[in-house]
Amino acid sequence: MAGPLVVPPPPPPGGPQATQKTSDVIGNLRPTKLFKLSTPTTYATSLSFDDSGEFLLAACSDESLQLYSAKEGRALKTLFSKKYGAHLARFTHHSQSIIYASTKTDDTIRYLSTHDNQFLRYFKGHTAPVTALALCPASDTFISGSLDNTVRLWSLSSPSPQGKLNLATPTLATYDPSATVIAIASPSTSSILLYDLRNYDKPPFATFDLRALDSLPAIMASPLAAGAGAPKDWTKLEFSNDGKSLIVGTNNTLGHLLLDAFSGELKALLVRPPQYLPLNPSSLRATPWPSSSSAVGTAAGQGDLCFSADGRYVVGGSGGDRDAAVWDVQGQVDEETKTLAPLCGLPCKSRVGIVEWNPRYNMVATADREVVFWLPEDGVGVKPP
């Protein structure tokens, strides 16, 4: 005889909600929890939710790893990596183990148990800073890109890479949702390469040359062709959850590139809110590697935008010292310029330098000099872009 049906308890009243459609709440997201970092000059440099959506991990410029309960809205523990530094921290498919890139001593990727703060394995091979770290959606494997001009494929069960690609500035890399394709962005060549993961040792099956996009607005084509796509200007590479779109986050004043993931055609240029333009060059620290051109310092990031879990929206920083913006990728694109204006703004008193959408709940986390949790709030009006 079957046992009693066990129904998991609902999230607490103030916790993230998973039942509402994203379209019903996207404009009502508001900051609900703010966590200060160790000092006023400390930055969060990366964010990662675990698969369950219950935990958030932040790597910080003070060489710490901050663990939060997204479900309970509280800080859980601080782990330090003073000897090696920490950046691009990612949960594995186990909520008590993480991988992260080193920022000093060497360029090793480290596999850590957050339960007892013990290293489980070291992944050695890169000879320059790691700029991309992405876990495979379907297995315990991951890819890493580096300033040493290599992309390496790893398994959590082995310290040696399973494969290596030698490419020019492969500084951004990600998996598609089906875990059959990896996309690699080479900013110095303004190109994106798509590889069949089963045949990664073969040439890419598709190459998107962003300089060759006939539909790229004239105002954007010239800077790209002239080298504005240098490594400091591309900040993020991410597939939508249906695998049909690919977004290239940029530090360009105009905004971000939304591409067709099959053809490479430009779907839209996601323009930032005009009141925050032009961007202040001293604040552009959202790249996944330290920027020597930044007057603020050498704090890195992982891009200031992300897709919503349903793939319909992109949430990103406004480009200013406050607020976020939302773009509806199904919205009306200007036929002449291919631009897509923000659907709405999301008010926040602090800069949005990093954005991560919870994979299980209608919840967003952002970070810069603090970590902020966002939840839908009833009874608030939608803020204009």
CSV table of all heavy atoms in Angstrom, one decimal, residues 99-144:
chain,number,residue,atom,x,y,z
A,99,ILE,N,32.0,25.7,-7.2
A,99,ILE,CA,33.2,25.9,-7.8
A,99,ILE,C,33.4,27.4,-8.0
A,99,ILE,O,32.5,28.2,-8.1
A,99,ILE,CB,33.3,25.2,-9.2
A,99,ILE,CG1,32.1,25.6,-10.1
A,99,ILE,CG2,33.3,23.7,-9.1
A,99,ILE,CD1,32.2,25.1,-11.5
A,100,TYR,N,34.7,27.8,-8.0
A,100,TYR,CA,35.0,29.2,-8.2
A,100,TYR,C,36.4,29.4,-8.8
A,100,TYR,O,37.2,28.5,-8.7
A,100,TYR,CB,34.8,30.0,-6.9
A,100,TYR,CG,35.7,29.8,-5.8
A,100,TYR,CD1,36.9,30.5,-5.7
A,100,TYR,CD2,35.5,28.8,-4.8
A,100,TYR,CE1,37.8,30.2,-4.6
A,100,TYR,CE2,36.3,28.5,-3.8
A,100,TYR,CZ,37.5,29.3,-3.7
A,100,TYR,OH,38.4,29.0,-2.6
A,101,ALA,N,36.6,30.6,-9.4
A,101,ALA,CA,37.9,30.9,-10.0
A,101,ALA,C,38.7,31.6,-9.0
A,101,ALA,O,38.3,32.4,-8.1
A,101,ALA,CB,37.7,31.8,-11.2
A,102,SER,N,40.0,31.4,-9.1
A,102,SER,CA,41.0,32.1,-8.2
A,102,SER,C,41.3,33.4,-8.8
A,102,SER,O,41.3,33.6,-10.0
A,102,SER,CB,42.3,31.3,-8.1
A,102,SER,OG,42.0,29.9,-7.6
A,103,THR,N,41.7,34.4,-8.0
A,103,THR,CA,42.0,35.7,-8.5
A,103,THR,C,43.5,36.1,-8.1
A,103,THR,O,44.0,37.1,-8.5
A,103,THR,CB,41.1,36.8,-7.9
A,103,THR,OG1,41.2,36.8,-6.5
A,103,THR,CG2,39.7,36.6,-8.3
A,104,LYS,N,44.2,35.2,-7.4
A,104,LYS,CA,45.6,35.5,-7.1
A,104,LYS,C,46.2,34.1,-6.8
A,104,LYS,O,45.6,33.1,-6.7
A,104,LYS,CB,45.7,36.4,-5.9
A,104,LYS,CG,45.1,36.0,-4.6
A,104,LYS,CD,45.3,37.0,-3.5
A,104,LYS,CE,44.8,36.6,-2.2
A,104,LYS,NZ,45.0,37.6,-1.1
A,105,THR,N,47.5,34.1,-6.6
A,105,THR,CA,48.4,33.0,-6.4
A,105,THR,C,48.5,32.1,-7.7
A,105,THR,O,49.6,31.9,-8.2
A,105,THR,CB,47.9,32.1,-5.3
A,105,THR,OG1,47.8,32.8,-4.1
A,105,THR,CG2,48.8,30.9,-5.0
A,106,ASP,N,47.4,31.7,-8.2
A,106,ASP,CA,47.4,31.0,-9.5
A,106,ASP,C,46.0,31.1,-10.1
A,106,ASP,O,45.2,31.9,-9.6
A,106,ASP,CB,47.8,29.5,-9.3
A,106,ASP,CG,46.9,28.8,-8.4
A,106,ASP,OD1,45.7,29.2,-8.2
A,106,ASP,OD2,47.3,27.7,-7.8
A,107,ASP,N,45.8,30.4,-11.2
A,107,ASP,CA,44.6,30.5,-12.0
A,107,ASP,C,43.8,29.2,-11.9
A,107,ASP,O,43.0,28.9,-12.8
A,107,ASP,CB,44.9,30.9,-13.4
A,107,ASP,CG,45.6,32.2,-13.5
A,107,ASP,OD1,45.1,33.2,-13.1
A,107,ASP,OD2,46.8,32.2,-14.0
A,108,THR,N,43.9,28.5,-10.8
A,108,THR,CA,43.2,27.2,-10.6
A,108,THR,C,41.8,27.5,-10.3
A,108,THR,O,41.4,28.5,-9.6
A,108,THR,CB,43.9,26.5,-9.4
A,108,THR,OG1,45.3,26.2,-9.8
A,108,THR,CG2,43.2,25.2,-9.1
A,109,ILE,N,40.9,26.6,-10.7
A,109,ILE,CA,39.5,26.5,-10.3
A,109,ILE,C,39.4,25.6,-9.2
A,109,ILE,O,39.9,24.5,-9.1
A,109,ILE,CB,38.6,26.1,-11.5
A,109,ILE,CG1,38.8,27.0,-12.7
A,109,ILE,CG2,37.2,26.0,-11.1
A,109,ILE,CD1,38.3,26.5,-14.0
A,110,ARG,N,38.6,26.0,-8.1
A,110,ARG,CA,38.6,25.3,-6.9
A,110,ARG,C,37.1,24.8,-6.6
A,110,ARG,O,36.2,25.5,-6.9
A,110,ARG,CB,39.0,26.2,-5.7
A,110,ARG,CG,40.5,26.6,-6.0
A,110,ARG,CD,41.1,27.5,-4.9
A,110,ARG,NE,42.3,28.0,-5.5
A,110,ARG,CZ,43.5,27.4,-5.5
A,110,ARG,NH1,43.5,26.2,-4.9
A,110,ARG,NH2,44.6,27.9,-6.0
A,111,TYR,N,37.1,23.6,-6.1
A,111,TYR,CA,35.8,22.8,-5.9
A,111,TYR,C,35.7,22.7,-4.3
A,111,TYR,O,36.6,22.1,-3.7
A,111,TYR,CB,35.9,21.5,-6.5
A,111,TYR,CG,34.7,20.6,-6.5
A,111,TYR,CD1,33.4,21.0,-6.1
A,111,TYR,CD2,34.9,19.2,-6.7
A,111,TYR,CE1,32.3,20.2,-6.1
A,111,TYR,CE2,33.8,18.3,-6.7
A,111,TYR,CZ,32.5,18.8,-6.4
A,111,TYR,OH,31.5,18.0,-6.3
A,112,LEU,N,34.7,23.4,-3.8
A,112,LEU,CA,34.7,23.5,-2.3
A,112,LEU,C,33.4,23.0,-1.7
A,112,LEU,O,32.3,23.2,-2.3
A,112,LEU,CB,34.8,25.0,-2.0
A,112,LEU,CG,34.7,25.4,-0.5
A,112,LEU,CD1,36.0,25.0,0.2
A,112,LEU,CD2,34.5,26.9,-0.4
A,113,SER,N,33.4,22.4,-0.6
A,113,SER,CA,32.2,22.0,0.2
A,113,SER,C,31.9,23.2,1.1
A,113,SER,O,32.7,23.5,1.9
A,113,SER,CB,32.5,20.7,1.0
A,113,SER,OG,31.5,20.6,2.0
A,114,THR,N,30.7,23.7,1.0
A,114,THR,CA,30.3,24.8,1.9
A,114,THR,C,29.9,24.3,3.2
A,114,THR,O,29.8,25.1,4.2
A,114,THR,CB,29.2,25.6,1.3
A,114,THR,OG1,28.0,24.8,1.1
A,114,THR,CG2,29.6,26.2,-0.1
A,115,HIS,N,29.7,23.0,3.3
A,115,HIS,CA,29.3,22.4,4.6
A,115,HIS,C,30.4,22.5,5.6
A,115,HIS,O,30.2,23.0,6.8
A,115,HIS,CB,28.8,21.0,4.4
A,115,HIS,CG,28.6,20.2,5.7
A,115,HIS,ND1,27.5,20.6,6.5
A,115,HIS,CD2,29.2,19.2,6.3
A,115,HIS,CE1,27.6,19.8,7.6
A,115,HIS,NE2,28.6,18.9,7.5
A,116,ASP,N,31.6,22.1,5.2
A,116,ASP,CA,32.7,22.1,6.2
A,116,ASP,C,33.9,22.9,5.7
A,116,ASP,O,35.0,22.9,6.3
A,116,ASP,CB,33.2,20.7,6.4
A,116,ASP,CG,33.5,19.9,5.2
A,116,ASP,OD1,33.6,20.5,4.1
A,116,ASP,OD2,33.7,18.7,5.2
A,117,ASN,N,33.7,23.7,4.6
A,117,ASN,CA,34.7,24.6,4.1
A,117,ASN,C,36.0,23.8,3.7
A,117,ASN,O,37.1,24.3,4.0
A,117,ASN,CB,35.0,25.7,5.1
A,117,ASN,CG,35.7,26.9,4.4
A,117,ASN,OD1,35.6,27.1,3.2
A,117,ASN,ND2,36.5,27.7,5.2
A,118,GLN,N,35.8,22.7,3.1
A,118,GLN,CA,37.0,21.9,2.7
A,118,GLN,C,37.0,21.8,1.2
A,118,GLN,O,36.0,21.6,0.6
A,118,GLN,CB,36.9,20.4,3.3
A,118,GLN,CG,37.0,20.4,4.8
A,118,GLN,CD,38.3,20.9,5.3
A,118,GLN,OE1,39.4,20.4,4.9
A,118,GLN,NE2,38.3,21.8,6.3
A,119,PHE,N,38.2,21.8,0.6
A,119,PHE,CA,38.3,21.7,-0.8
A,119,PHE,C,38.2,20.2,-1.2
A,119,PHE,O,38.7,19.3,-0.6
A,119,PHE,CB,39.7,22.2,-1.3
A,119,PHE,CG,39.8,23.7,-1.3
A,119,PHE,CD1,40.7,24.3,-0.4
A,119,PHE,CD2,39.0,24.5,-2.1
A,119,PHE,CE1,40.8,25.7,-0.4
A,119,PHE,CE2,39.1,25.9,-2.1
A,119,PHE,CZ,40.0,26.5,-1.2
A,120,LEU,N,37.4,20.0,-2.3
A,120,LEU,CA,37.1,18.7,-2.7
A,120,LEU,C,38.1,18.3,-3.9
A,120,LEU,O,38.4,17.1,-4.1
A,120,LEU,CB,35.7,18.5,-3.2
A,120,LEU,CG,34.6,18.9,-2.1
A,120,LEU,CD1,33.2,18.8,-2.7
A,120,LEU,CD2,34.7,17.9,-0.9
A,121,ARG,N,38.5,19.3,-4.7
A,121,ARG,CA,39.3,19.1,-5.9
A,121,ARG,C,39.8,20.4,-6.4
A,121,ARG,O,39.2,21.5,-6.1
A,121,ARG,CB,38.5,18.3,-6.9
A,121,ARG,CG,39.4,17.8,-8.1
A,121,ARG,CD,38.7,16.7,-8.9
A,121,ARG,NE,38.7,15.5,-8.1
A,121,ARG,CZ,37.7,14.9,-7.6
A,121,ARG,NH1,36.5,15.4,-7.8
A,121,ARG,NH2,37.8,13.7,-7.0
A,122,TYR,N,40.9,20.3,-7.1
A,122,TYR,CA,41.5,21.5,-7.8
A,122,TYR,C,41.6,21.2,-9.3
A,122,TYR,O,41.9,20.1,-9.7
A,122,TYR,CB,42.9,21.8,-7.3
A,122,TYR,CG,43.0,22.0,-5.8
A,122,TYR,CD1,43.4,20.9,-5.0
A,122,TYR,CD2,42.7,23.2,-5.2
A,122,TYR,CE1,43.5,21.1,-3.6
A,122,TYR,CE2,42.8,23.4,-3.8
A,122,TYR,CZ,43.2,22.3,-3.0
A,122,TYR,OH,43.3,22.4,-1.7
A,123,PHE,N,41.2,22.2,-10.1
A,123,PHE,CA,41.2,22.0,-11.5
A,123,PHE,C,42.3,23.0,-12.1
A,123,PHE,O,42.1,24.2,-12.2
A,123,PHE,CB,39.8,22.3,-12.1
A,123,PHE,CG,38.7,21.5,-11.5
A,123,PHE,CD1,37.9,22.0,-10.5
A,123,PHE,CD2,38.5,20.2,-12.0
A,123,PHE,CE1,36.9,21.2,-10.0
A,123,PHE,CE2,37.5,19.4,-11.4
A,123,PHE,CZ,36.7,19.9,-10.4
A,124,LYS,N,43.4,22.4,-12.4
A,124,LYS,CA,44.6,23.2,-12.8
A,124,LYS,C,44.8,23.1,-14.3
A,124,LYS,O,44.5,22.1,-14.9
A,124,LYS,CB,45.9,22.7,-12.1
A,124,LYS,CG,45.8,22.8,-10.6
A,124,LYS,CD,47.1,22.3,-9.9
A,124,LYS,CE,47.0,22.5,-8.4
A,124,LYS,NZ,48.2,22.0,-7.7
A,125,GLY,N,45.3,24.1,-14.9
A,125,GLY,CA,45.6,24.1,-16.3
A,125,GLY,C,45.6,25.5,-16.9
A,125,GLY,O,46.5,25.8,-17.7
A,126,HIS,N,44.7,26.4,-16.5
A,126,HIS,CA,44.7,27.8,-17.0
A,126,HIS,C,46.0,28.5,-16.5
A,126,HIS,O,46.4,28.3,-15.4
A,126,HIS,CB,43.5,28.5,-16.6
A,126,HIS,CG,42.3,28.1,-17.4
A,126,HIS,ND1,42.2,28.2,-18.7
A,126,HIS,CD2,41.1,27.6,-16.9
A,126,HIS,CE1,41.0,27.8,-19.1
A,126,HIS,NE2,40.3,27.4,-18.1
A,127,THR,N,46.5,29.4,-17.4
A,127,THR,CA,47.7,30.1,-17.1
A,127,THR,C,47.5,31.6,-17.0
A,127,THR,O,48.4,32.4,-17.0
A,127,THR,CB,48.8,29.8,-18.1
A,127,THR,OG1,48.4,30.1,-19.4
A,127,THR,CG2,49.2,28.3,-18.0
A,128,ALA,N,46.2,32.0,-17.1
A,128,ALA,CA,45.8,33.4,-17.0
A,128,ALA,C,44.4,33.4,-16.3
A,128,ALA,O,43.8,32.4,-16.2
A,128,ALA,CB,45.8,34.1,-18.3
A,129,PRO,N,44.0,34.6,-15.9
A,129,PRO,CA,42.7,34.6,-15.1
A,129,PRO,C,41.5,34.0,-15.9
A,129,PRO,O,41.4,34.1,-17.1
A,129,PRO,CB,42.4,36.1,-14.9
A,129,PRO,CG,43.8,36.7,-14.9
A,129,PRO,CD,44.6,35.9,-15.9
A,130,VAL,N,40.7,33.3,-15.1
A,130,VAL,CA,39.5,32.6,-15.7
A,130,VAL,C,38.4,33.7,-15.8
A,130,VAL,O,38.2,34.5,-14.8
A,130,VAL,CB,39.0,31.5,-14.8
A,130,VAL,CG1,37.7,31.0,-15.2
A,130,VAL,CG2,40.1,30.4,-14.8
A,131,THR,N,37.8,33.8,-16.9
A,131,THR,CA,36.8,34.9,-17.2
A,131,THR,C,35.4,34.3,-17.4
A,131,THR,O,34.4,35.1,-17.5
A,131,THR,CB,37.2,35.7,-18.4
A,131,THR,OG1,37.2,34.8,-19.6
A,131,THR,CG2,38.5,36.4,-18.2
A,132,ALA,N,35.3,33.0,-17.5
A,132,ALA,CA,34.0,32.4,-17.7
A,132,ALA,C,34.0,31.0,-17.0
A,132,ALA,O,34.9,30.3,-17.1
A,132,ALA,CB,33.7,32.1,-19.2
A,133,LEU,N,32.9,30.8,-16.3
A,133,LEU,CA,32.7,29.5,-15.6
A,133,LEU,C,31.2,29.1,-15.7
A,133,LEU,O,30.4,29.9,-15.2
A,133,LEU,CB,33.2,29.7,-14.2
A,133,LEU,CG,33.6,28.4,-13.4
A,133,LEU,CD1,34.7,27.7,-14.2
A,133,LEU,CD2,34.1,28.8,-12.0
A,134,ALA,N,30.9,28.0,-16.3
A,134,ALA,CA,29.5,27.7,-16.5
A,134,ALA,C,29.3,26.2,-16.3
A,134,ALA,O,30.0,25.4,-16.9
A,134,ALA,CB,29.0,28.0,-17.9
A,135,LEU,N,28.3,25.8,-15.5
A,135,LEU,CA,28.0,24.4,-15.2
A,135,LEU,C,27.0,23.9,-16.2
A,135,LEU,O,26.1,24.6,-16.6
A,135,LEU,CB,27.4,24.3,-13.8
A,135,LEU,CG,27.4,22.9,-13.2
A,135,LEU,CD1,28.8,22.5,-12.8
A,135,LEU,CD2,26.4,22.9,-12.0
A,136,CYS,N,27.3,22.7,-16.6
A,136,CYS,CA,26.4,22.0,-17.6
A,136,CYS,C,25.0,21.8,-16.9
A,136,CYS,O,24.9,21.3,-15.8
A,136,CYS,CB,27.0,20.7,-18.0
A,136,CYS,SG,25.9,19.8,-19.2
A,137,PRO,N,23.9,22.1,-17.6
A,137,PRO,CA,22.6,22.0,-17.0
A,137,PRO,C,22.2,20.5,-16.8
A,137,PRO,O,21.3,20.2,-15.9
A,137,PRO,CB,21.6,22.6,-18.1
A,137,PRO,CG,22.5,23.4,-18.9
A,137,PRO,CD,23.8,22.8,-18.9
A,138,ALA,N,22.9,19.6,-17.5
A,138,ALA,CA,22.4,18.2,-17.4
A,138,ALA,C,23.4,17.2,-16.8
A,138,ALA,O,23.1,16.0,-16.7
A,138,ALA,CB,22.1,17.7,-18.8
A,139,SER,N,24.6,17.7,-16.4
A,139,SER,CA,25.5,16.7,-15.8
A,139,SER,C,26.5,17.5,-14.9
A,139,SER,O,26.5,18.7,-14.8
A,139,SER,CB,26.3,16.0,-16.9
A,139,SER,OG,27.1,17.0,-17.6
A,140,ASP,N,27.4,16.7,-14.3
A,140,ASP,CA,28.4,17.3,-13.4
A,140,ASP,C,29.7,17.7,-14.2
A,140,ASP,O,30.8,17.3,-13.8
A,140,ASP,CB,28.7,16.4,-12.3
A,140,ASP,CG,27.6,16.3,-11.2
A,140,ASP,OD1,26.9,17.3,-11.1
A,140,ASP,OD2,27.4,15.2,-10.6
A,141,THR,N,29.5,18.4,-15.3
A,141,THR,CA,30.6,18.9,-16.1
A,141,THR,C,30.5,20.4,-16.2
A,141,THR,O,29.4,20.9,-16.0
A,141,THR,CB,30.7,18.2,-17.5
A,141,THR,OG1,29.4,18.5,-18.1
A,141,THR,CG2,30.8,16.7,-17.4
A,142,PHE,N,31.6,21.0,-16.5
A,142,PHE,CA,31.5,22.5,-16.7
A,142,PHE,C,32.6,22.9,-17.7
A,142,PHE,O,33.5,22.2,-18.0
A,142,PHE,CB,31.7,23.2,-15.3
A,142,PHE,CG,33.0,23.0,-14.7
A,142,PHE,CD1,34.0,24.0,-14.8
A,142,PHE,CD2,33.3,21.9,-13.8
A,142,PHE,CE1,35.2,23.8,-14.2
A,142,PHE,CE2,34.5,21.8,-13.2
A,142,PHE,CZ,35.5,22.7,-13.4
A,143,ILE,N,32.4,24.2,-18.1
A,143,ILE,CA,33.4,24.8,-19.0
A,143,ILE,C,34.0,26.0,-18.4
A,143,ILE,O,33.3,26.7,-17.6
A,143,ILE,CB,32.8,25.1,-20.4
A,143,ILE,CG1,31.5,26.0,-20.2
A,143,ILE,CG2,32.5,23.9,-21.2
A,143,ILE,CD1,30.9,26.4,-21.6
A,144,SER,N,35.2,26.4,-18.8
A,144,SER,CA,35.8,27.6,-18.3
A,144,SER,C,36.5,28.2,-19.5
A,144,SER,O,37.1,27.6,-20.4
A,144,SER,CB,36.9,27.2,-17.2
A,144,SER,OG,37.9,26.3,-17.7
